[in-house]
Amino acid sequence: MRTIALFLIAGAACLASSPAAFAAQPPPFSDQLCPEATSKVIAVQSLTTGADPQQIYTVARAAADAYDVCAKLRLGAQDIEPGTHYATTREAQFGVLAARALIAMKRYDDARRELLRDRTMAADVVGWSASTHGVDPGVTIQTNNRSSRYQAVAQLVVDAATAELKNLPATAPSPAPSSTP
């Protein structure tokens, strides 16, 4: 199984706001955009690479679910960029980690569903661009094709999910029907 640190490093790129954030003794993790996810991320950070795959799955899925709640709250507040994109990218990151745990448990179909879902969410962030258009005749149309500030991290998630999907074994054939009733 790949190390958990890979996704935590990618996640840190989302959170780093200033050089002071890298002081000698880093403060405990605190998610300012999605505070409801803080304890879940700390639980993931406490895992070791030798942790039981079921434990990894449980805490990674809980973190992904916390970011799902945050994404819905941000979307409800019409905070697409950066709020919803941040939460969606983080949800997909932890979803890929959960899928890797499913792979370690040989739950390939569940892992495939998780990876497809996570790749789609991250790809939506990658493909997003802001644009503003005037709707009344005679109004100047202004276009801003700015991408999400989380586009690069979301692309890493898309790439990771794609790589995992390519390495998944083919779906096992269904068992033959039994001749006994």
Side-chain angles (χ1 to χ4, degrees):
M1 174 176 273
R2 289 173 181 78
T3 63
I4 295 164
L6 174 65
F7 275 99
L8 297 178
I9 290 168
C14 287
L15 301 173
S17 58
S18 70
F22 296 104
Q25 190 69 352
F29 176 78
S30 177
D31 194 321
Q32 301 300 309
L33 290 175
C34 296
E36 60 275 10
T38 296
S39 65
K40 308 303 183 191
V41 173
I42 290 171
V44 171
Q45 289 175 331
S46 71
L47 294 171
T48 63
T49 56
D52 175 59
Q54 181 61 53
Q55 181 186 18
I56 294 171
Y57 172 75
T58 299
V59 295
R61 186 72 253 150
D65 291 344
Y67 281 106
D68 180 55
V69 168
C70 180
K72 289 176 181 166
L73 291 170
R74 294 294 181 154
L75 185 60
Q78 297 181 358
D79 177 11
I80 304 299
E81 178 63 25
T84 303
H85 289 156
Y86 167 78
T88 299
T89 300
R90 295 290 280 166
E91 178 183 357
Q93 285 178 309
F94 287 107
V96 171
L97 179 59
R100 288 177 173 162
L102 289 168
I103 292 167
M105 293 185 287
K106 299 184 183 344
R107 292 175 51 190
Y108 302 123
D109 289 339
D110 292 336
R112 183 173 285 106
R113 279 189 293 277
E114 178 72 40
L115 290 165
L116 289 170
R117 182 177 154 277
D118 299 327
R119 184 174 67 179
T120 300
M121 284 191 304
D124 287 347
V125 174
V126 170
W128 180 85
S129 67
S131 60
T132 308
H133 302 283
V135 292
D136 294 328
V139 173
T140 303
I141 297 176
Q142 201 175 36
T143 301
N144 175 359
N145 290 326
R146 175 176 55 93
S147 299
S148 171
R149 68 178 69 177
Y150 300 104
Q151 181 182 40
V153 175
Q155 184 62 57
L156 291 173
V157 177
V158 169
D159 295 345
T162 300
E164 293 294 344
L165 284 164
K166 286 180 182 177
N167 291 326
L168 278 177
T171 304
S174 300
S178 174
S179 60
T180 57

